[in-house]
Amino acid sequence: MALPSPFKHELLLREYGQSTYELIQQLRTIEDREERTKRAQQIVQLIFRLNPTLREQPDAQAKVWNHVFEMTDGELDVDSPFPLHALDILAKQPARVAYPIKSPKLKAYGRSVEVMIEQALALEDAAEREQATITIGRTMKFLYRSYSKENAKDVTILKHLKELSGGKLELDPAQVDANNLFDFAAAPVGGRPAPFIVPQPRAERAERGERGDREGRRGGNNNRRDKQRRGGKKGRQEPQQPPQ
């Protein structure tokens, strides 16, 4: 059973509107070819007035004429400045998007880390592979914090890295700990870098509250001094002299 035209051309209806669609349908009732061509040209001009951004698109004129032709179900017989053809893409079903069937081995890191490990294993240079391993370990530590809301030890990250890579990507635990290879903070000159710690929201609120109390106390002292300089309470008036 064929679908009615309004449902068949739902995308074109959303783009041009119901009123434009009805005007295009009236072209079928015009018997004179010359008059039908004139009306079709007027409808195309109306579409560009209602949608001025169409003029900036490449081949906009041909696109609109073919849309008009499609909305008449291919029955528009006019003298078109462009060859008219049906838009088969509107009748095709969209390709099915493949859904990932394989779940990640460790949910905390997701599939992206596994892809990074596969790319690191493909590196032939030993120095590049070691640097890639350090980068992957740093990323895993960050993702572990985001997933479990707690700081991960380097030995835990190294264990998971070895498991995900099948034992092919390994680092010296002592070197990782001594140089803080899995931390994002930059190392200061002549010292060990500070560990990257995710600030807790509660601690931030307490710190902001204490800072506000200190500023409020300082502001209160300033207000009292300002009142004293102005001569007392706000709005105080001097006593008036009785009339002589």
Side-chain angles (χ1 to χ4, degrees), residues 185-204:
V189 178
R192 183 172 176 174
F196 179 83
I197 300 177
V198 179
Q200 298 298 325
R202 183 178 300 175
E204 291 181 355

Side-chain angles (χ1 to χ4, degrees), residues 41-199:
Q41 293 173 349
Q42 293 175 350
I43 292 175
V44 171
Q45 293 176 4
L46 175 63
I47 289 175
F48 279 106
R49 289 182 181 178
L50 297 176
N51 304 272
T53 55
L54 289 175
R55 301 181 184 275
E56 302 176 1
Q57 300 182 10
D59 301 329
Q61 290 281 344
K63 173 183 175 181
V64 172
W65 273 100
N66 280 282
H67 284 178
V68 173
F69 180 76
E70 178 65 28
M71 281 189 280
T72 60
D73 296 324
E75 298 178 1
L76 182 62
D77 183 17
V78 295
D79 296 328
S80 169
F82 303 95
L84 302 178
H85 54 82
L87 302 180
D88 298 334
I89 189 174
L90 296 178
K92 294 181 179 179
Q93 292 291 335
R96 187 177 182 85
V97 178
Y99 191 81
I101 302 177
K102 185 178 179 181
S103 301
K105 295 180 180 179
L106 299 176
K107 293 183 179 180
Y109 309 115
R111 176 59 182 163
S112 57
V113 170
E114 296 180 2
V115 174
M116 294 173 63
I117 292 175
E118 294 173 359
Q119 295 177 353
L121 293 175
L123 298 176
E124 298 180 357
D125 185 73
E128 292 183 357
R129 179 180 293 187
E130 181 180 5
Q131 186 61 38
T133 304
I134 294 173
T135 303
I136 294 173
R138 187 180 296 123
T139 303
M140 291 174 62
K141 190 171 185 178
F142 176 80
L143 293 176
Y144 187 92
R145 290 195 193 101
S146 302
Y147 182 82
S148 61
K149 307 301 180 182
E150 62 182 13
N151 293 329
K153 297 182 179 180
D154 293 340
V155 291
T156 303
I157 300 300
L158 290 171
K159 176 184 176 181
H160 293 169
L161 180 60
K162 182 178 180 180
E163 179 181 351
L164 293 175
S165 64
K168 297 180 181 180
L169 295 180
E170 294 185 277
L171 294 172
D172 184 8
Q175 183 181 3
V176 172
D177 181 68
N179 298 321
N180 281 343
L181 297 181
F182 290 167
D183 291 331
F184 284 89
V189 178
R192 183 172 176 174
F196 179 83
I197 300 177
V198 179

Side-chain angles (χ1 to χ4, degrees), residues 10-24:
E10 183 177 357
L11 293 177
L12 296 177
L13 269 170
R14 292 181 181 180
E15 185 172 356
Y16 300 118
Q18 180 68 30
S19 300
T20 303
Y21 175 81
E22 293 177 357
L23 289 175
I24 293 174

